[in-house]
Amino acid sequence: MLSTEELKRYNRHIILEEVGKAGQEKLKMAKVLVIGTGGLGCPVLQYLTAAGVGTIGIVDFDVVDHSNLQRQILFDVNDIGHPKAEVARKKLSAQNPFVQFNVHQEKLTSSNALALFEQYDIVVDGSDNFPTRYLTNDACVITGKPLVFGSIFKFDGQVAVFNYNDGPTYRCLFPAPPDPGSVPNCAQIGVIGVLPGLIGTIQANEVIKLITGIGEPLSGKLLIMDALTMETNLFAVARNANNAQITELIDYEDFCGLNTPFHETMQEMTSQELAERLEQGDDIQLLDVREPFEYEICHLDAELMPLSTISNRVADIPRNVPVVVYCHHGMRSAAAITTLQQEYGFNNLYNLIGGIHDWAANIDPEMEQY
């Protein structure tokens, strides 16, 4: 089963009594699907590749961005603008030629999830949003696949194994998603660069344990790590039969409240539309909700009002002219508009689609991008 070269490569595994040649052969025969090549997906992919998992699927439809390089260690400056999944495949193939990589350069949806998951033994969730997490969980339940879950938030990380040997599912821990906008993502609130490496490595370890049958998986447990104190805690997670009964996939953006009438009626503006209106001399106020250091890198002729200060600066925002709110990619600006519309009754706000990143790419290529 293992070639002479593979026996040499995996020697440190094979001499482990708990793994041995039989365990390494199990790794070679295994098929693992990794959702996302971001902060978590990068270390998961690298360690599973190094461990000799025979077939690895990579699901990601995004491209490499400057802001990824602080923590997504598979990528470098030469990869900016290129598809993450394909860049990952190329680099991982050089790391271990004995691994087969299947690139799924597409968004995971209710339409393709079941067919994708059926092709693999284990699914690893490296996503960063609630619709994908619930979709991944439900598709794993329906297809009977174990799910290795991980999440990060500023300095805290979580890892668990769901849907393993009739154990609890993600819905047993989180039956319902949080209110839209109540939990900021990494792009809005930041994350220490090494945290996804720590959490992603633990996820990879759980995958290896599941494949080889060694150790005690984090099934029925939630591991929480604080990177500032290096304290870890294990919490028991009980299976809830009602939450574990999933028979079909749904619209997960709707389930997570992203298709509510409010979100549907949020006014938006493209960079091209904004450029045309500014050129025509339209009276438009620009509002930048990024942080001061980001503003220094590049900015439009806008009022700087970081997202965290919005509620204290309401009086400074005009109500009698269109106000175009922007950030890096458009997520923090959407959160700002949510607050201003719902809590203060604004109806003259527009979210700049794609943020200043899109403006720099399509309107002002000479602008410093980050």
Side-chain angles (χ1 to χ4, degrees):
M1 182 76 71
L2 296 172
S3 67
T4 301
E5 182 61 33
E6 288 174 297
L7 290 171
K8 294 178 182 177
R9 175 182 285 266
Y10 305 126
N11 172 263
R12 298 303 188 271
H13 268 176
I14 294 171
I15 61 177
L16 285 171
E17 181 181 350
E18 295 83 353
V19 178
K21 186 167 179 276
Q24 192 62 49
E25 289 175 345
K26 290 179 181 178
L27 288 169
K28 182 175 181 177
M29 295 298 294
K31 299 179 180 180
V32 177
L33 181 66
V34 179
I35 310 298
T37 56
L40 294 173
C42 283
V44 169
L45 287 166
Q46 287 175 293
Y47 274 102
L48 293 184
T49 298
V53 171
T55 302
I56 299 177
I58 306 171
V59 180
D60 203 309
F61 66 100
D62 201 3
V63 298
V64 181
D65 182 79
H66 284 82
S67 64
N68 301 149
L69 304 183
Q70 166 251 14
R71 65 202 175 283
Q72 298 178 18
I73 54 176
L74 261 177
F75 310 124
D76 58 54
V77 292
N78 298 313
D79 302 320
I80 292 171
H82 296 283
K84 285 184 176 181
E86 187 53 44
V87 173
R89 181 203 62 77
K90 182 178 179 181
K91 293 189 175 183
L92 294 168
S93 295
Q95 179 183 343
N96 191 344
F98 297 105
V99 177
Q100 175 183 326
F101 297 97
N102 299 331
V103 171
H104 306 283
Q105 197 172 313
E106 56 189 316
K107 182 177 181 179
L108 187 70
T109 68
S110 296
S111 299
N112 62 17
L114 296 180
L116 274 177
F117 287 19
E118 288 285 7
Q119 303 173 43
Y120 297 90
D121 305 316
I122 299 170
V123 177
V124 183
D125 184 3
S127 65
D128 61 356
N129 63 86
F130 289 102
T132 303
R133 288 173 184 167
Y134 281 97
L135 166 59
T136 300
N137 173 80
D138 292 0
C140 281
V141 171
I142 293 173
T143 57
K145 308 296 181 180
L147 168 61
V148 179
F149 162 78
S151 72
I152 51 176
F153 183 83
K154 296 181 69 175
F155 301 98
D156 299 327
Q158 301 178 353
V159 183
V161 173
F162 294 119
N163 200 41
Y164 177 68
N165 286 350
D166 292 324
T169 72
Y170 179 75
R171 283 181 180 266
C172 296
L173 180 63
F174 301 111
D179 292 335
S182 63
V183 180
N185 58 31
C186 293
Q188 296 169 319
I189 203 168
V191 61
I192 191 71
V194 299
L195 178 62
L198 294 169
I199 299 301
T201 302
I202 296 173
Q203 286 181 276
N205 186 55
E206 291 302 304
V207 172
I208 292 171
K209 286 158 59 180
L210 292 179
I211 293 170
T212 59
I214 64 174
E216 187 176 328
L218 286 171
S219 178
K221 305 170 187 175
L222 177 69
L223 172 69
I224 297 180
M225 169 182 284
D226 183 335
L228 290 181
T229 64
M230 291 312 297
E231 292 181 351
T232 59
N233 291 284
L234 271 179
F235 295 93
V237 181
R239 177 180 172 85
N240 183 308
N242 292 328
N243 292 330
Q245 296 301 316
I246 305 295
T247 59
E248 63 180 359
L249 302 182
I250 59 176
D251 184 330
Y252 290 89
E253 292 198 348
D254 184 64
F255 174 69
C256 293
L258 303 184
N259 292 333
T260 60
F262 168 74
H263 286 277
E264 292 175 353
T265 58
M266 180 183 289
Q267 302 178 103
E268 297 179 318
M269 191 177 295
T270 66
S271 294
Q272 186 63 44
E273 290 170 335
L274 176 60
E276 292 174 356
R277 293 189 63 171
L278 291 175
E279 188 173 349
Q280 293 169 4
D282 290 2
D283 187 7
I284 293 178
Q285 173 71 45
L286 299 180
L287 185 61
D288 188 328
V289 297
R290 299 174 300 157
E291 296 299 315
F293 79 90
E294 296 177 281
Y295 189 87
E296 291 179 8
I297 295 175
C298 63
H299 63 269
L300 304 177
D301 186 14
E303 177 78 13
L304 176 62
M305 197 176 297
L307 179 61
S308 60
T309 70
I310 284 290
S311 296
N312 298 324
R313 301 280 305 277
V314 172
D316 298 330
I317 304 173
R319 295 176 182 263
N320 60 340
V321 299
V323 177
V324 177
V325 188
Y326 74 86
C327 59
H328 189 187
H329 284 291
M331 291 175 283
R332 279 173 287 178
S333 52
I337 292 172
T338 297
T339 298
L340 293 170
Q341 291 189 178
Q342 289 185 334
E343 298 183 17
Y344 301 99
F346 280 83
N347 60 9
N348 60 322
L349 307 177
Y350 293 80
N351 189 32
L352 183 63
I353 299 174
I356 199 168
H357 183 272
D358 186 80
W359 177 277
N362 297 301
I363 305 300
D364 188 1
E366 295 184 1
M367 176 180 282
E368 178 78 22
Q369 296 192 47
Y370 71 106

